[in-house]
Amino acid sequence: MIIANPIYDTVFKKLMENERLSKFFIGTLLDKTILSLEMNPQEFTYKVDDTKDKKSGDKKKPTVPDMLGFSFLRVDYVATILTEAGEQKKILIEVQKAWEQDDLTRFRTYLAEQYRKIDTINGIKVVLPITTIYVLDSNLPEMDSACINIEREYRDMITRQLITARSPFIEKLTHDSYVVQTKRIKSDRYQTRLDKLLSVFEQDYFVDNAEMTKMYNYRPDDDDVKEMIDLLHYVGTDPEERKALEIEQEAHRTWTDSFAKVNREIEEQAKALEEQAKALEEQAKALEEKNKALEEQAKALEKKDKVIEELVKSNEEQSQAIAAIKRQLDEMQRK
């Protein structure tokens, strides 16, 4: 079956706006039962049109921040989960999807916003624990796993024993994370519920050069996976939905080209600065050698002046000696 590539922002957004599919996605990754999900006001950054000057309307050269606003999706939820102890617990879940993972500053900025956030549950203002999910269409070179869970543990530093109890104070100041690397998803796994979820995101069997659509080669035996595949099939084959995909693909291509151009410009500037620094270093070295030569000349002149001074002194002494001899001869002649 042909389906839309869910790594595209417009497609992933449709999945996460579907309550059943977002429950399936989040619950499977967290390995928790999601009782309810409340989507918070979300931020969907797709393309920032800052290429025109607002006053004159003239085209202006896009800056790095302008171009970095192209492809980034963030969706926030307040989730009620069922803990292993059978208790209901509300947590704040932040889902961030990005084509690249290099812009760490923005990930940290959004996370800081969540830590400052106060939610209202049943009319009461509360600070909720946070769980983050990062879906990347790029590889972390240090990690081969397609799906990574970063958990915390409490440990007594004196006895080195693990602590099973949990403190609301600590829970609200630290958080668990999940990272999905879509390019590392293997196409030969389809056993567990997690395998079946990840199979939807595997980046293989594309049917177009832009990698907007692909063949899904499994026969879904899970109702949630089947609904997800049905939605993706609709998005991948409906003309209007494909148009939205094409717009995003063009924006992403533009962003990639622009970012590559900025990188080249930065590299060229860095190379020019390096050459300037090298030239300045050579000039400094030449000046140092010149100063050294002048210093040696000064020493030579000083030595010459000293020799001249000694010669003058010697001449004065000789003149005085001659004058004394002359006086003696004059006295002898007078006698």
Side-chain angles (χ1 to χ4, degrees):
M1 181 183 292
I2 293 178
I3 65 171
N5 186 355
I7 197 62
Y8 276 80
D9 291 349
T10 51
V11 182
F12 187 79
K13 182 169 179 280
K14 288 183 181 298
L15 291 178
M16 299 310 292
E17 285 177 338
N18 183 300
E19 183 178 0
R20 175 177 175 177
L21 297 183
S22 58
K23 277 185 179 181
F24 168 56
F25 177 84
I26 294 172
T28 302
L29 285 178
L30 272 59
D31 195 21
K32 302 287 186 185
T33 299
I34 306 296
L35 300 177
S36 66
L37 273 180
E38 176 189 344
M39 182 182 289
N40 283 340
Q42 63 181 5
E43 179 169 337
F44 175 53
T45 301
Y46 180 56
K47 183 178 180 181
V48 178
D49 187 11
D50 268 347
T51 57
K52 287 186 178 181
D53 186 273
K54 292 181 180 179
K55 293 183 179 180
S56 65
D58 296 334
K59 286 281 184 179
K60 69 174 183 178
K61 183 178 181 181
T63 62
V64 173
D66 295 336
M67 289 181 291
L68 286 178
F70 278 18
S71 184
F72 189 87
L73 176 62
R74 169 190 172 195
V75 190
D76 301 331
Y77 300 91
V78 173
T80 303
I81 65 172
L82 189 64
T83 67
E84 294 178 357
E87 300 174 345
Q88 294 188 16
K89 177 182 178 182
K90 287 188 180 292
I91 61 175
L92 182 63
I93 296 176
E94 177 178 297
V95 181
Q96 298 189 31
K97 192 207 74 66
W99 291 91
E100 303 292 340
Q101 44 83 22
D102 294 332
D103 190 18
L104 295 176
T105 301
R106 181 160 35 193
F107 285 110
R108 289 168 63 91
T109 298
Y110 290 153
L111 185 57
E113 289 178 6
Q114 297 291 42
Y115 271 107
R116 289 196 297 267
K117 189 174 182 179
I118 298 177
D119 289 275
T120 302
I121 306 296
N122 298 325
I124 302 174
K125 292 184 177 180
V126 295
V127 177
L128 295 176
I130 297 173
T131 296
T132 57
I133 298 173
Y134 301 100
V135 180
L136 304 177
D137 189 42
S138 58
N139 291 337
L140 303 175
E142 309 85 358
M143 300 290 170
D144 294 331
S145 175
C147 195
I148 305 164
N149 176 18
I150 301 92
E151 290 184 325
R152 300 154 299 149
E153 63 179 18
Y154 293 25
R155 185 179 294 275
D156 188 314
M157 293 183 64
I158 297 175
T159 64
R160 308 305 300 170
Q161 297 294 315
L162 287 176
I163 300 173
T164 57
R166 289 293 180 264
S167 163
F169 175 83
I170 296 174
E171 291 295 296
K172 292 170 184 178
L173 288 175
T174 58
H175 69 278
D176 293 337
S177 293
Y178 299 81
V179 178
V180 177
Q181 301 185 87
T182 59
K183 290 186 180 299
R184 294 197 187 278
I185 297 173
K186 306 298 182 183
S187 58
D188 58 349
R189 289 185 57 88
Y190 198 78
Q191 286 81 40
T192 68
R193 191 170 172 83
L194 178 60
D195 290 335
K196 295 170 184 178
L197 170 64
L198 295 178
S199 71
V200 178
F201 290 85
E202 66 182 15
Q203 298 298 293
D204 293 314
Y205 311 113
F206 294 106
V207 296
D208 59 86
N209 294 331
E211 299 185 352
M212 292 188 297
T213 54
K214 62 175 185 172
M215 289 296 299
Y216 186 76
N217 298 320
Y218 304 97
R219 187 181 298 276
D221 57 3
D222 182 283
D223 290 340
D224 291 318
V225 176
K226 187 178 186 306
E227 182 168 338
M228 185 175 282
I229 294 303
D230 288 342
L231 188 150
L232 294 176
H233 175 67
Y234 168 73
V235 175
T237 55
D238 180 76
E240 290 298 320
E241 296 291 347
R242 279 190 62 85
K243 185 177 179 180
L245 274 176
E246 290 169 359
I247 293 173
E248 180 180 347
Q249 196 278 332
E250 178 60 23
H252 180 60
R253 185 194 63 77
T254 302
W255 176 83
T256 302
D257 292 346
S258 301
F259 193 69
K261 183 179 179 181
V262 171
N263 275 342
R264 286 195 300 271
E265 291 177 354
I266 292 174
E267 288 176 1
E268 290 173 359
Q269 291 175 2
K271 187 176 180 180
L273 289 173
E274 185 179 353
E275 291 175 353
Q276 289 178 8
K278 187 177 180 180
L280 289 173
E281 186 179 352
E282 291 175 353
Q283 290 177 8
K285 187 176 180 181
L287 287 173
E288 186 179 354
E289 292 176 353
K290 185 176 181 180
N291 288 335
K292 188 176 180 181
L294 290 173
E295 186 178 348
E296 291 176 353
Q297 290 178 6
K299 287 182 180 179
L301 288 173
E302 184 180 354
K303 186 176 181 181
K304 183 179 179 181
D305 291 340
K306 189 174 182 181
V307 171
I308 293 173
E309 184 180 349
E310 291 176 352
L311 288 173
V312 170
K313 185 177 179 181
S314 176
N315 287 335
E316 289 178 352
E317 290 176 352
Q318 289 179 3
S319 297
Q320 291 176 1
I322 292 171
I325 293 173
K326 186 177 180 182
R327 285 196 299 273
Q328 290 177 358
L329 291 174
D330 291 340
E331 290 177 1
M332 289 176 65
Q333 288 178 356
R334 285 195 296 273
K335 290 179 180 181

